[in-house]
């Protein structure tokens, strides 16, 4: 088989298409490329990145567009490009391999050299400059040295590969767990204490710069606070403070887009001032839902404003007309990082009237030194109350001034060259945003957000599932691609459950059951419990991951377990609850060693120990509205509320919960215990005021 040049022109991924004109003979990861490597006996140069990645762009410009480096790559390697968002399975495997080989965390671009016969990594790194610079070896020199080492030291390569495969194999098995005795509530407290140890009590967040939001840790603190309210161990107000202080500082910082709404990926400093400017759908989904929960827990208007502005940004810039959400916005525009978001004081002053300018100058410190490459990235320096005192105006007038100024800044910024948008639709990330918008719409009574979530769900069901209902991972330009992984099914199942709480549909419940059954049939580890990242009929790879710990996203096992547990309690389905118990036992050892790294799994553990309270309301929507409003009145994260029309015909235990005549009724259950049907709103009020929140422990 002869080389066929650069084959990325037919890709669905915008990231791969960015490299379609490189002089490098890039191949997609497919049977044809792997066969080419075997037949020519050339090692594989594997490069993994994504379209919004700044350093991926830098390396592409410096090295992959350089004719001399491209010639070297083409002569000595079969070069494969992978979009880590389309192939999270490959990314996880080779990020893990990078960490084992280098003893350092990886990142993007991820650069590896693989053996041609079995795709085992021989060498791993991330970004390399084209020539030796700042103590970093040049990419061309690295390629020559690695190629020569493979040719001259075959036994050493074989020994290293054998050791790496052994290490990967060990990771594939669940660690010793201690059985049911390990499933106590001690990890819940241990995670809270570990988060407190790393908490920045001045600026919020955890650890030092660069600072990531870590929404899983913040959610764990909110839930821990809520748990202590009803178990007699609290209230743990410091847990609430750590969560809320972090959310407030992020909302006032530059990691939050003060003009357009939405969050960047992380902050390069401890103050949340200067972000890495890329905006990812997944990060904003997690934070949108989290801020909605924080508003529900505290009533703080700042959190509601952040939810409103972020939801507006999602719908304006990320939602597709036919439904579904795009993946990301680039960090760069016009050849510079963050250029779209930066201002000079003169630019701002020209757009605003005098009162608006005085407020914006004071609120954002535009009379102070520039904070990013000679320009200003907006970061709140003074609260509305402080500005009100400074300007001698009522606070409400100051807030109104900012709203009018913000609209003018939005319109002006909209005329700039926009950052590139990765417009592919990812099933997993859409599942996260569907869940977030459905929950936020329900809690803040914004039907348009719920409608957006339901439209996206319909898009995924129509465009990203085959005739048998098996999911694809990605869709773009009319083409679905790549077999879905654990996260696709788990995140989408959680999104469907949130949609069911917002608007019941028997058909939608049927889809949830299909997703749940596919998890059990195709992804479950039938021997040890828990779930593999890939299905049992997935392409064979060098490693089959079992994701337990959170990274930038909640682990697939965690979301699968908590969604199955909620669905199991809703329907009284023992198959789902047994899978949860086995999965938690399989993860118990990992949780015990580092509970704070498994924050999402701790939600599943918490709801195993303290089963969720399921409130099912039956009746006509026009009369059940107040009932659902009352059930959602307080922040009770372990409570799920479903309002079913009188004519709904769901399966399982729900089928027996019927109303008598036109009057509504409610059933309140916790675990396997249900109270007698509630027939009046006053009675529902009394029942919900005294939850049956008993531990199985």
């Amino acid at each position: 088989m002869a080389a066929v040049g650069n084959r990325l022109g037919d890709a669905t991924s915008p990231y791969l298409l960015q490299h379609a004109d490189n002089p490098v003979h890039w191949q997609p990861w497919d049977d044809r490329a792997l066969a080419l490597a075997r037949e020519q006996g050339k090692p594989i140069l594997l490069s993994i990145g994504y379209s919004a990645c700044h350093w991926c762009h830098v390396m592409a410009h410096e090295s992959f567009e350089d004719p001399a480096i491209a010639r070297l790559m083409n002569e000595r390697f079969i070069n494969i490009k992978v979009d880590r968002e389309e192939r999270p399975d490959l990314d996880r495997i080779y990020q893990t391999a990078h960490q084992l080989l280098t003893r350092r965390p990886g990142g993007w671009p991820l650069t590896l050299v693989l053996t041609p016969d079995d795709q085992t990594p021989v060498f791993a790194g991330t970004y390399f400059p084209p020539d030796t610079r700042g103590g970093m070896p040049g990419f061309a020199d690295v390629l020559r040295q690695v190629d020569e080492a493979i040719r001259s030291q075959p036994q050493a390569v074989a020994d290293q590969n054998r050791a790496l495969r052994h290490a990967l194999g060990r990771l594939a098995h669940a660690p010793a767990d201690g059985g049911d005795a390990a499933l106590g509530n001690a990890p819940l407290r241990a995670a809270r204490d570990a988060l407190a140890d790393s908490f920045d009590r001045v600026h919020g967040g955890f650890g030092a710069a660069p600072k990531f939001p870590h929404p899983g840790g913040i959610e764990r603190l909110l839930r821990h606070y809520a748990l202590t309210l009803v178990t007699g161990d609290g209230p743990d107000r410091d847990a609430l403070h750590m969560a809320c202080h972090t959310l407030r500082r992020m909302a006032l910082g530059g990691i939050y887009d003060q003009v357009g709404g939405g969050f960047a990926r992380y902050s390069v400093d401890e103050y949340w001032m200067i972000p890495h400017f890329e905006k990812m759908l997944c990060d904003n989904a997690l934070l949108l839902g989290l801020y909605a929960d924080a508003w529900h827990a505290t009533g703080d208007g700042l959190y509601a404003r952040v939810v409103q502005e972020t939801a507006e940004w999602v719908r304006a810039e990320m939602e597709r007309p036919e439904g579904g959400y795009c993946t990301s916005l680039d960090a760069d525009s016009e050849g510079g990082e963050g250029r779209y978001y930066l201002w000079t004081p003169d630019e701002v002053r020209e757009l605003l009237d005098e009162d608006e300018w005085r407020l914006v100058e004071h609120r954002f410190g535009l009379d102070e030194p520039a904070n990013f490459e000679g320009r200003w990235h907006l970061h709140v320096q003074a609260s509305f109350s402080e500005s009100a005192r400074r300007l001698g105006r009522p606070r409400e007038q100051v807030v109104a001034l900012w709203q009018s100024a913000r609209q003018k800044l939005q319109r002006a910024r909209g005329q700039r060259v926009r950052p590139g948008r990765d417009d592919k639709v990812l099933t997993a990330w859409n599942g996260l945003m569907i869940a977030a918008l459905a929950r936020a719409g329900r809690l803040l009574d914004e039907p348009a957000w719920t409608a957006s979530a339901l439209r996206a769900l319909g898009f995924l069901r129509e465009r990203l599932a085959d005739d048998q209902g098996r999911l694809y991972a990605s869709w773009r330009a009319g083409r679905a691609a790549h077999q879905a992984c654990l996260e696709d099914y788990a995140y989408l199942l959680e999104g469907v459950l949130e949609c069911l709480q917002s608007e019941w549909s028997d058909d939608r419940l049927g889809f949830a059951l299909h997703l749940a059954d596919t998890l059990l049939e195709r992804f479950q580890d039938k021997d040890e419990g828990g779930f593999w990242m890939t299905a049992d009929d997935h392409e064979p790879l060098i490693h089959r991951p079992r994701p337990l710990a959170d990274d930038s996203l909640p682990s697939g096992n965690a979301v699968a377990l908590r969604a199955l547990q909620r669905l199991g309690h809703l329907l009284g389905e023992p198959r789902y609850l047994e899978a949860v118990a086995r999965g938690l036992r399989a993860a118990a050892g990992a949780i015990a060693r580092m509970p704070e790294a498994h924050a999402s799994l701790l939600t599943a553990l918490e709801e195993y120990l303290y089963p969720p309270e399921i409130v099912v309301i039956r009746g006509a929507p026009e009369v059940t509205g107040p009932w659902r409003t009352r059930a959602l009145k307080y922040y009770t994260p372990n409570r799920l509320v479903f309002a079913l029309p009188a004519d709904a015909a769901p399966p399982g235990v729900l089928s027996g919960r019927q109303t008598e005549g036109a009057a509504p009724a409610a059933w309140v259950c916790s675990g396997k215990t249900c109270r007698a049907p509630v027939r009046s709103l006053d009675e529902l009020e009394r029942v919900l005021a005294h939850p049956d929140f008993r531990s199985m422990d």
Side-chain angles (χ1 to χ4, degrees), residues 195-261:
L195 289 166
D197 288 343
S198 63
F199 178 61
D200 181 343
R201 294 195 171 270
V202 177
H203 306 294
F206 307 95
K211 271 189 177 170
F212 289 79
H214 295 302
I218 301 172
E219 181 188 31
R220 174 93 308 270
L221 291 170
L222 280 177
R223 289 190 63 109
H224 190 82
Y225 163 73
L227 183 63
T228 63
L229 289 175
V230 293
T231 58
D233 300 324
D236 188 343
R237 300 195 184 281
D238 192 49
L240 179 65
H241 166 72
M242 288 187 282
C244 291
H245 184 56
T246 299
L247 292 171
R248 174 169 289 275
R249 296 311 307 171
M250 288 195 301
L252 299 177
I255 192 174
Y256 182 66
D257 183 353
Q258 301 294 331
V259 172

Side-chain angles (χ1 to χ4, degrees), residues 587-616:
I591 292 173
R593 281 193 291 276
M594 191 174 287
E596 70 277 14
H598 299 81
S600 299
L601 264 174
L602 291 180
T603 299
L605 175 61
E606 178 187 313
E607 293 187 358
Y608 175 80
L609 298 171
Y610 307 93
E613 185 180 57
I614 307 291
V615 181
V616 176

Side-chain angles (χ1 to χ4, degrees), residues 337-662:
E337 183 181 2
R339 185 165 296 179
Y340 181 74
Y341 302 97
L342 304 176
W343 302 89
T344 67
D346 289 343
E347 286 176 321
V348 175
R349 187 163 196 167
E350 288 178 2
L351 296 169
L352 308 180
D353 65 32
E354 186 60 30
D355 289 339
E356 292 166 343
W357 161 248
R358 290 177 61 211
L359 166 64
V360 171
E361 181 189 38
H362 181 247
R363 181 166 172 77
F364 296 105
L366 298 185
D367 55 348
E368 298 180 8
N371 60 6
F372 189 78
E373 298 180 355
R375 296 168 72 87
W376 280 253
H377 178 57
L378 298 186
H379 168 272
V380 175
Q381 304 278 28
S383 68
F384 285 128
S385 297
E386 291 172 316
S387 293
R389 286 194 295 270
R390 171 77 172 266
L391 302 179
R393 288 174 173 267
R395 187 180 184 279
E396 306 83 60
Q397 288 186 14
V398 169
V399 173
L401 279 175
W402 166 238
Q403 291 302 330
S404 64
R406 178 174 177 261
Q407 291 175 2
K408 294 177 181 178
L409 294 173
Q410 275 185 320
R411 286 195 296 269
R413 200 175 75 176
Q415 303 303 310
R416 297 176 179 177
V417 176
R418 292 177 177 272
R421 185 176 74 166
D422 186 327
D423 61 352
K424 68 178 180 288
V425 176
L426 295 173
T427 298
W429 294 14
N430 271 250
L432 293 174
M433 185 56 75
I434 287 167
L437 280 174
R439 185 160 79 252
R442 185 168 67 250
L443 296 179
L444 278 76
D445 193 22
E446 289 285 354
W449 303 349
T450 300
S452 175
L454 293 174
R455 190 163 51 249
L457 177 57
F459 179 90
L460 264 61
R461 294 185 65 179
E462 180 182 349
R463 310 288 180 90
L464 283 116
D466 65 17
D467 294 340
Q468 287 73 47
R470 296 290 295 278
L471 298 178
Y472 293 100
S474 177
W475 180 95
R476 183 179 179 273
R479 294 162 57 197
H482 307 294
Q483 191 173 351
C485 293
L486 171 63
E487 287 77 6
D488 298 292
Y489 285 90
Y491 294 175
L492 186 54
L493 175 57
E494 191 159 74
V496 175
L497 288 176
E498 290 291 348
C499 287
L500 283 168
Q501 292 185 76
S502 297
E503 182 181 300
W504 183 268
S505 158
D506 288 348
D507 175 67
R508 210 169 287 135
L509 176 62
F511 183 57
L513 294 173
H514 166 73
L515 295 175
D517 289 343
T518 304
L519 283 170
L520 296 189
E521 294 164 9
R522 295 289 186 177
F523 292 89
Q524 187 176 199
D525 182 342
K526 308 260 190 327
D527 297 323
E528 297 180 347
F531 297 92
W532 302 105
M533 185 176 186
T534 54
D536 57 1
D537 58 351
H538 193 84
E539 167 195 358
L541 300 169
I542 66 167
H543 173 51
R544 197 179 183 194
R546 176 201 298 271
L548 295 175
D550 295 338
D551 45 34
S552 60
L553 298 177
S555 85
N557 265 277
V559 178
L561 292 175
R562 70 193 188 197
L564 285 168
Q565 186 158 236
R566 292 168 183 177
L567 188 60
H569 283 300
L570 174 66
L571 299 177
E573 176 50 73
R575 290 186 303 123
Y576 300 155
L577 298 177
E578 289 165 6
V580 171
R582 294 181 70 244
L584 286 172
R585 284 194 292 270
I591 292 173
R593 281 193 291 276
M594 191 174 287
E596 70 277 14
H598 299 81
S600 299
L601 264 174
L602 291 180
T603 299
L605 175 61
E606 178 187 313
E607 293 187 358
Y608 175 80
L609 298 171
Y610 307 93
E613 185 180 57
I614 307 291
V615 181
V616 176
I617 304 168
R618 293 295 295 262
E622 59 269 20
V623 295
T624 58
W627 291 55
R628 187 168 74 169
T629 298
R630 170 57 192 89
L632 295 173
K633 185 175 180 179
Y634 301 113
Y635 174 64
T636 47
N638 73 311
R639 177 181 295 162
L640 284 71
V641 180
F642 300 90
L644 281 64
D647 60 353
V653 297
L654 290 178
S655 63
R657 293 173 185 164
Q658 299 288 342
T659 59
E660 298 176 0

Side-chain angles (χ1 to χ4, degrees), residues 100 157-170:
L100 291 171
V157 169
D159 291 344
Q160 176 182 285
N161 286 357
R162 192 178 305 110
L164 179 63
R165 282 181 168 274
H166 177 71
L168 290 171
R170 291 179 60 189

